[in-house]
Amino acid sequence: MEKEELKILAQNLANPQGEKGIEIGEMMNATNISMTLESIKTLVVDDDQQILEIGHGNAAHLKSIISLAKNLRYTGIDISETMHNEAKRLNKEFESQADFVLYEGSKLPFQDRAFDKIFTVNTVYFWENPVEFLNEIYRVLKDDGTFVLTFGQREFMEKLPFMEYDFILYNNSEMEELISKSHFKRMKTSEKEEEIKSKTGNETIQRIYTILTIKK
């Protein structure tokens, strides 16, 4: 890929826009689905719970969440108007259980202790003020709730050609240190490895990623 193409790809990974954004949203859902499903499994969802996903993309995985338990209420929040509209379009059958919210990326527009479970996959690289944002997540999470944060490790991510464009990368110890600066008090680290198709070509690559289970 040419440098300008890589820059456009990176911009759309952070904030998908227009027709190109829809295409990249589909690609992201496909390449991230195993990370997303592992994150959902880690939440340990129960009946009647309120779930928040930060950075839902096209939310083609919503059915996998709704089917986990009875009377779930899902809220997805995203900075991309393209993904907001695409998620609503793809999930019309779940509109009685799911809400999609567009926001500016720093303040979560919800009441304190609104959610039982919160998760986010591959968004932490784009948080402008990560400690402040973690404290926002802390604020909207119930006292006995669970927050799952999933990210690609620095060692893997640095090898990707579009990483030079506005991605902030972390290894496990850096992420744990970041979280320790927030109000959160407890965390458990789980490391995963998988083979995936590259976003820039047809080759396969080994992805190393981490799932953090975080509690108040």
Side-chain angles (χ1 to χ4, degrees):
M1 280 182 125
E2 297 293 329
K3 196 160 188 175
E4 191 57 34
E5 288 179 295
L6 290 172
K7 189 173 183 179
I8 291 168
L9 173 60
Q11 287 168 345
N12 276 282
L13 289 172
N15 187 355
Q17 299 291 322
E19 289 298 316
K20 186 68 174 176
I22 291 172
E23 178 188 321
I24 287 175
E26 291 172 355
M27 179 195 67
M28 282 196 292
N29 189 268
T31 56
N32 293 338
I33 191 64
S34 57
M35 291 178 80
T36 301
L37 294 178
E38 285 289 338
S39 302
I40 293 165
K41 187 167 75 173
T42 304
L43 286 173
V44 191
V45 172
D46 293 320
D47 294 348
D48 304 307
Q49 290 194 324
Q50 299 272 351
I51 299 166
L52 173 65
E53 179 177 9
I54 299 168
H56 55 69
N58 69 9
H61 53 274
L62 179 56
K63 188 174 184 177
S64 299
I65 300 172
I66 296 295
S67 63
L68 286 174
K70 296 175 184 175
N71 302 318
L72 293 181
R73 187 80 206 174
Y74 168 94
T75 302
I77 192 165
D78 210 293
I79 62 170
S80 165
E81 187 173 358
T82 298
M83 289 297 94
H84 173 75
N85 292 332
E86 189 69 356
K88 288 201 291 187
R89 184 184 73 80
L90 291 175
N91 292 289
K92 283 182 178 160
E93 64 184 298
F94 303 117
E95 60 187 5
S96 65
Q97 283 182 268
D99 293 311
F100 293 100
V101 178
L102 194 61
Y103 82 129
E104 40 56 64
S106 59
K107 298 290 184 186
L108 295 172
F110 308 112
Q111 294 181 342
D112 295 358
R113 301 177 183 86
F115 298 98
D116 300 283
K117 304 287 167 72
I118 301 175
F119 77 105
T120 189
V121 179
N122 285 335
T123 70
V124 68
Y125 329 114
F126 310 114
W127 297 358
E128 289 185 11
N129 298 295
V131 174
E132 289 177 25
F133 195 64
L134 283 165
N135 287 337
E136 272 291 282
I137 295 167
Y138 182 97
R139 179 183 65 77
V140 303
L141 182 67
K142 292 182 181 178
D143 289 340
D144 60 349
T146 302
F147 168 44
V148 167
L149 190 160
T150 301
F151 67 99
Q153 290 184 18
R154 176 193 287 278
E155 179 188 357
F156 159 74
M157 299 287 283
E158 282 177 337
K159 297 172 185 172
L160 304 178
F162 46 84
M163 280 301 111
E164 61 182 290
Y165 303 104
D166 300 322
F167 284 71
I168 300 171
L169 304 180
Y170 302 89
N171 59 31
N172 284 352
S173 60
E174 288 165 338
M175 183 60 73
E176 288 168 6
E177 183 182 353
L178 179 70
I179 291 162
S180 71
K181 292 176 182 175
S182 75
H183 297 323
F184 285 108
K185 296 292 181 256
R186 294 177 290 153
M187 71 188 96
K188 184 177 80 172
T189 303
S190 174
E191 198 170 287
K192 308 277 184 182
E193 190 167 343
E194 63 178 348
E195 196 170 83
I196 60 162
K197 186 178 173 183
S198 167
K199 288 182 174 69
T200 56
N202 292 318
E203 72 272 24
T204 57
I205 51 179
Q206 288 296 120
R207 172 161 62 192
I208 306 166
Y209 70 93
T210 297
I211 298 177
L212 281 175
T213 309
I214 306 167
K215 300 272 195 177
K216 288 191 170 182

